[in-house]
Every structure is written in structure tokens, then in C-alpha cells.
Amino acid sequence: KAGVTQTPRYLIKTRGQQVTLSCSPISGHRSVSWYQQTPGQGLQFLFEYFSETQRNKGNFPGRFSGRQFSNSRSEMNVSTLELGDSALYLCASRSGTGAYEQYFGPGTRLTVT
Amino acid sequence: AQKVTQAQTEISVVEKEDVTLDCVYETRDTTYYLFWYKQPPSGELVFLIRRNSFDEQNEISGRYSWNFQKSTSSFNFTITASQVVDSAVYFCALTYDKVIFGPGTSLSVIP
């Protein structure tokens, strides 16, 4: 079974621009979560989608948004980029919610200049 | 409030030593799940183990073992006879609805 894939792997953007990151979950997994990882803040939960509906949302500004498609693929969008948005963005999928373990993708390294 | 604490920020051990990574959690839920994940230098988090709140049995998997103590809200992870390949950041996580990760413990195993 193929793992979680994320594209692109690396991205460099300028302040004020917007960016869209993509995540393809493991086949059969209906839940996709997004995390931001930085050295200072660690792993922070952004949001989780299950069957195209946002189930949970972390404490991030409205500039961060996401969506999930009927094939469970998910995209995350960040508008009006700030320098502080530079981070590793991780996507994780699982077959259900609650008890199920998550399987992570390799991440997208976003650098905002 | 739900919270996961990993008090050890960084640990260095010499190869073949045993090492224990501590995890303390807070939750008001009676049903919850605890996880450990490993993040090697390559960056991809790898699932290691899941434990539900009703199962306090310790678990051993090869050189890895986990000690879950509900009375002290702890879910500690021990690596026996550590190896260089164990060098990574280890995260403890709690899920009730959202998944809450601890800050991680960076383990360096020196040859």
C-alpha cells in the first residue's frame, strides 16, 4: 500500500503571496489532518477533515484553510504569507477518527522570504 | 484542558545503554488513547504504539517497551540496548477528539 504523499516537498514563497499544499492519503483512509511543525512551537494541529467535512480546527488564523475532496485527497491553503509561516507542514491520514493511529507524509518544507 | 508533557528536551546516551523517555498527560476524559511516534532525521513521523485508557498492560516489542500508569497519568517509553538508528525525536500524543502532541524528546545515541 502506498503511503501518504505530499506535494510539493519544498517551496519558497514571498511574504504576501499565497500557497496551496496537497496531500494524498493512504488508500481507504478517510481522515486527513494537517500539522505545522516549527522548532519553537513543535507540532501544532491545524485541522482535520473526514469525509469532506472539517471535524476539528486548531488555533490558527483564518489565513489557513483547507478542504478535502471526494477521493479523500486534501489541500491546505495559506493566504497572505508571513515570515512566521515558514515551517514543515505535515499531513497525516488514518482510516477513522479517535482511536486510530495516524500515518504521516514526508511533509512540505515552506520557506517564506 | 488536555495536555501532553515531555519534560526531557534532549537526551544523549552511549550505544547499548537503556534509555527511558517520559510522557505525562492531562485529560478529563475517561476514554482516550495514547500514542508514541518517532521522527528520524529524514522528517517523516512513524507510528510506534497505541494504548487505550482501559488497557494498562505494559507492552514489549523487541527492544522497545512501554509502561502505562493511569494513576500517575504517565506513558513512558524505554529503549533497551540503544542503537545509533534509534537517534530521533520521539513524540507522545493524546487523542480524545483532536490529537495533542507533546513537545518531543530528541534522543541522540552515540556510538
Side-chain angles (χ1 to χ4, degrees), chain B:
Chain B
Q2 279 73 16
K3 186 179 177 182
V4 177
T5 302
Q6 295 178 257
Q8 304 147 308
T9 306
E10 294 181 9
I11 301 176
S12 283
V13 298
V14 177
E15 202 170 21
K16 295 184 185 173
E17 284 185 350
D18 298 347
V19 59
T20 295
L21 310 182
D22 297 333
C23 172
V24 174
Y25 63 92
E26 294 175 30
T27 181
R28 290 196 188 94
D29 293 306
T30 53
T31 301
Y32 52 88
Y33 300 87
L34 296 162
F35 300 82
W36 275 95
Y37 290 86
K38 173 183 179 180
Q39 187 176 37
S42 61
E44 196 165 327
L45 275 87
V46 176
F47 163 73
L48 295 177
I49 191 172
R50 172 185 59 214
R51 174 65 71 229
N52 74 56
S53 54
F54 297 107
D55 182 3
E56 287 195 70
Q57 280 198 359
N58 292 330
E59 179 149 344
I60 298 174
S61 176
R63 297 184 295 107
Y64 295 171
S65 62
W66 291 268
N67 179 260
F68 175 33
Q69 291 197 333
K70 215 166 168 180
S71 60
T72 55
S73 297
S74 65
F75 186 39
N76 296 336
F77 174 28
T78 297
I79 301 174
T80 303
S82 59
Q83 300 176 1
V84 172
V85 293
D86 296 327
S87 296
V89 180
Y90 291 85
F91 292 93
C92 181
L94 164 72
T95 179
Y96 56 103
D97 190 17
K98 296 180 188 178
V99 180
I100 307 295
F101 279 86
T105 296
S106 178
L107 173 65
S108 296
V109 181
I110 304 162

Side-chain angles (χ1 to χ4, degrees), chain A residues 2-112:
Chain A
V4 178
T5 57
Q6 291 187 246
T7 55
R9 293 292 311 279
Y10 302 91
L11 207 48
I12 299 175
K13 289 285 189 179
T14 305
R15 262 188 317 176
Q17 287 186 314
Q18 77 162 23
V19 66
T20 299
L21 311 182
S22 182
C23 172
S24 291
I26 290 172
S27 178
H29 284 191
R30 296 163 65 192
S31 164
V32 173
S33 296
W34 289 90
Y35 295 87
Q36 182 195 66
Q37 187 176 28
T38 58
Q41 300 297 318
L43 266 168
Q44 292 189 283
F45 171 74
L46 280 154
F47 26 66
E48 179 179 17
Y49 287 87
F50 183 80
S51 296
E52 301 179 68
T53 302
Q54 189 179 85
R55 287 192 72 247
N56 279 306
K57 191 177 189 311
N59 298 322
F60 278 82
R63 301 185 295 108
F64 292 81
S65 62
R67 58 177 176 168
Q68 187 180 33
F69 303 95
S70 57
N71 62 358
S72 292
R73 191 178 69 85
S74 177
E75 287 183 347
M76 189 192 93
N77 186 75
V78 188
S79 62
T80 320
L81 284 165
E82 301 177 359
L83 295 179
D85 297 333
S86 295
L88 179 66
Y89 289 88
L90 292 163
C91 168
S93 79
R94 50 183 176 169
S95 56
T97 59
Y100 295 89
E101 66 272 16
Q102 294 182 310
Y103 293 88
F104 285 80
T108 294
R109 173 75 61 186
L110 172 65
T111 302
V112 182

